């Protein structure tokens, strides 16, 4: 759903840029709390995990999957980031991904960067996390309950982003396509894409829950009281005496496994992704939203990594794979560095050790 240059006029793009900048600024303040805990509470483990989440989202966004005849979709990632590392840090994760895609790979217009961060980052995170928290109140406080809430939250977030784009288009679209037609087409196809988003997000969160539930922000406070069968009925066991706090577990295995997975997805699996246009591209072509897009050349169209290929490498498989690996590495480095800086600023402000 990367909005290119030319879909939205300059004044509205600028306004969206202001909204996005404000959202990032607010998220920076909120992320300091999510990233700034002590080693005993896991604060020192969130920053590298957040960088990994950004790199993983970048990798999975290269994997377009077919959703209808001639149409594909890809992960937006807002729900995944918010549930794994928190909503404030989640917004920053998606912003880092979109920035790297726009600057290095000419994916998504630079004048539309504010629109993309607002629609793909802020809206997806806010909607997904609100739905997720609401469902956590009514679903069982178990891993299954968290996974179910994750699935629904991710599913809802994608058509919500499509509706948000339609609203932006209604205010600042550069063509005269009826808004009703745009809304129907956008929401319709993105409901289908949302199913894929929900499956990927639930599987990823479920996998982390299975090995390190303590690292999933949305699963904090997850409890499953021990049950005893007494007289043929299940009753809660008496709480155990408090034990001495255990030393924090290392995140090295999870981090290494996540990085390897992201590299394989971007460097190898991406070659087999669907070549069909994604939901926004298909709707834009069918409805005429892209009528003026050809008048705009991407500011980084001459990037050696433009269109997810390495210039000068003849083999399409090798070119795309190298571009994916470079993208994962760059996103991981920039994201982790940014999140560590946020954490250190929080620690400096509170006088805490890092």
């Amino acid at each position: 759903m990367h909005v290119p240059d030319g879909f939205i006029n300059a004044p509205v793009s600028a306004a969206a840029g202001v909204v996005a900048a404000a959202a990032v600024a607010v998220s920076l303040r909120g992320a300091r709390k999510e990233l700034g805990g002590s080693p005993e509470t896991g604060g020192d483990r969130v920053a590298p995990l957040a960088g990994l989440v950004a790199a993983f989202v970048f990798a999975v966004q290269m994997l377009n999957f077919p959703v209808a005849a001639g149409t594909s979709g890809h992960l937006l990632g807002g729900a995944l980031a918010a549930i794994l590392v928190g909503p404030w840090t989640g917004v920053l994760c998606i912003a880092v991904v979109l920035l790297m895609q726009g600057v290095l790979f000419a994916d998504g217009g630079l004048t539309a960067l504010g629109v993309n961060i607002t629609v793909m980052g802020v809206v997806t995170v806010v909607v997904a996390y609100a739905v997720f928290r609401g469902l956590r109140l009514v679903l069982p406080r178990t891993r299954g309950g968290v996974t179910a809430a994750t699935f629904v939250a991710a599913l809802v977030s994608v058509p919500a982003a499509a509706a948000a784009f339609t609203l932006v288009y209604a205010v600042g679209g550069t063509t005269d396509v009826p808004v009703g037609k745009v809304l129907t087409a956008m929401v319709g196809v993105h409901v289908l894409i949302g199913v894929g988003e929900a499956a990927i997000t639930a599987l990823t969160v479920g996998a982390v829950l299975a090995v390190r539930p303590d690292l999933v922000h949305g699963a904090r406070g997850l409890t499953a009281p021990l049950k005893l069968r007494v007289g043929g009925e299940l009753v809660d066991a008496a709480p155990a005496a408090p034990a001495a706090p255990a030393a924090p577990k290392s995140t090295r295995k999870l981090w290494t496994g996540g990085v390897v997975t992201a590299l394989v997805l971007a460097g190898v699996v991406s070659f087999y992704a669907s070549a069909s246009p994604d939901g926004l591209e298909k709707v834009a072509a069918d409805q005429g939203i892209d009528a003026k897009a050809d008048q705009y050349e991407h500011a980084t169209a001459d990037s050696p990594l433009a269109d997810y290929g390495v210039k000068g490498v003849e083999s399409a498989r090798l070119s795309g794979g190298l571009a994916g690996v470079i993208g994962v590495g760059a996103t991981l480095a920039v994201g982790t560095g940014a999140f560590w800086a946020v954490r250190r600023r929080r620690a400096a402000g509170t006088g805490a050790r890092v």
Side-chain angles (χ1 to χ4, degrees), residues 139-162:
L139 291 175
R141 297 178 64 82
T142 61
R143 293 179 185 177
V146 172
T147 303
T150 296
F151 185 93
V152 177
L155 174 62
V156 173
S157 70
V158 177

Side-chain angles (χ1 to χ4, degrees), residues 40 46 64 85 92 110 137 166 223 245 254 257 276 303 320:
E40 289 75 16
V46 180
N64 280 46
V85 293
L92 299 180
L110 293 187
L137 295 176
T166 305
T223 58
L254 178 66
S276 299
S303 166

Side-chain angles (χ1 to χ4, degrees), residues 10 17 38 40 68-69 74-75 78 85 92 106 109 122 125 128 133 137 154 161 171 176 178 184 210 247 273 278 292:
S38 66
E40 289 75 16
H74 62 71
L75 184 83
V85 293
L92 299 180
V122 178
V125 167
R133 295 305 303 177
L137 295 176
V171 177
D176 296 325
T184 301
D278 69 17
K292 297 184 179 181

Side-chain angles (χ1 to χ4, degrees), residues 3 28 118 163 176 185 198-199 225 234 282 301:
V3 181
L28 282 169
T118 301
D176 296 325
L234 289 176
K282 180 65 173 175

Side-chain angles (χ1 to χ4, degrees), residues 2 52-65 72-78 80-81 84 94 97 101 107 120 193 196-205 258-274 308 324-325 327-328 331:
H2 295 75
L52 172 60
V53 168
F56 184 81
V57 169
F58 175 91
V60 180
Q61 283 195 1
M62 294 183 66
L63 309 180
N64 280 46
F65 49 86
S72 70
H74 62 71
L75 184 83
L76 298 186
L80 177 64
L84 285 180
I94 305 304
V97 172
Q101 290 170 334
D107 187 10
M120 296 178 63
I193 294 173
E197 176 103 11
I200 295 170
T201 304
L203 287 172
T204 304
V205 171
V259 170
V260 171
T261 300
L263 291 172
V264 171
L265 291 175
V268 180
V269 182
S270 62
F271 180 77
Y272 303 98
S274 172
Y308 296 93
V325 169
V328 167
T331 304

